[in-house]
């Protein structure tokens, strides 16, 4: 499987889990020791922390939101290690962050047995978008 | 050399180049095909684009600024591939961004011959800091 298809499979899982507001499902494609930096510059380490952090935002500021991811680019950095850039568009129906939010994430996928898992996810809100 | 020491060597080079306002020197530790996502969520690909983009901000919004990086954590994702988290504190003396700005970057280092180069750099401003 090429890097872009591999990234698309992973990202589709994230998107579906986000849109189901399911924190543990969102965290499933991550490695158990994965690192996640969110748009506020906060680092969460470990799949459990990533699940809990996402469940928290799904239940509050991003309740009812709809996320659409794409894979902008993807390449192999080393054998089995993939870097991909993931543009995201989030629509939040209500609350302090209501409206459309755009972000760009970098993800690093590492091979784990027969599949790739996310070892690192780093997200940034797109300024002026 | 352990992952943290390797990251510290690279990051010290970045810090010195920033504080000398030298875009090409800042870009030196990057791989020629490196990807850089800045705090505005903009992707710059390639060492030349990273050099030019930094020279532009050194000459304008960040003129006279002082940067301090540290290495918060560093680990090997795969043989020769290092992920490190880099907290930064930037002091800008004047202009629209005057003051102290905090950020957190993730960097991915890949072995290239006898040294490690930055394959991916992703930066996020720390909210409320």
């Amino acid at each position: 499987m090429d890097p872009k298809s591999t990234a698309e499979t992973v990202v589709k899982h994230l998107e579906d889990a986000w849109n189901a507001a399911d924190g543990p499902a969102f965290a499933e494609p991550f490695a158990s020791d994965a690192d996640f930096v969110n748009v506020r510059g906060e680092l969460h380490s470990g799949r459990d922390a990533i699940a809990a952090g996402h469940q928290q935002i799904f239940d509050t500021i991003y309740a009812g939101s709809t996320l659409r991811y794409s894979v902008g680019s993807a390449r192999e950095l080393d054998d089995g290690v993939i870097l991909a850039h993931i543009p995201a568009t989030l629509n939040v129906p209500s609350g302090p962050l209501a409206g459309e939010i755009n972000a760009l994430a970098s993800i690093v996928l590492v091979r784990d047995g027969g599949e790739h898992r996310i070892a690192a996810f780093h997200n940034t809100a797109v300024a002026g978008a």
Side-chain angles (χ1 to χ4, degrees), chain A:
Chain A
M1 196 181 276
D2 75 325
K4 189 156 184 172
S5 299
T6 301
E8 283 170 345
T9 300
V10 169
V11 162
K12 178 69 166 63
H13 184 112
L14 297 179
E15 184 181 274
D16 290 346
W18 186 293
N19 292 330
D22 187 335
F26 187 89
E28 267 176 22
F30 286 81
S32 60
D33 60 350
D35 291 305
F36 190 104
V37 179
N38 66 21
V39 293
R40 296 176 56 83
E42 298 162 340
L43 171 64
H44 295 282
S45 293
R47 190 191 292 139
D48 292 349
I50 293 165
H54 281 82
Q55 195 61 59
Q56 200 268 328
I57 59 175
F58 295 155
D59 292 342
T60 56
I61 54 170
Y62 293 144
S65 66
T66 307
L67 181 68
R68 189 163 42 82
Y69 278 129
S70 59
V71 176
S73 62
R75 63 188 175 95
E76 217 170 26
L77 296 182
D78 197 12
D79 186 37
V81 180
I82 294 169
L83 170 71
H85 294 101
I86 313 295
T89 302
L90 178 65
N91 281 285
V92 184
S94 59
L97 300 176
E100 183 175 289
I101 298 168
N102 290 282
L104 178 62
S106 294
I107 62 173
V108 181
L109 304 174
V110 174
R111 196 160 45 204
D112 176 17
E115 58 186 358
H116 279 81
R117 290 191 173 276
I118 305 168
F121 190 119
H122 193 128
N123 205 14
T124 299
V126 175

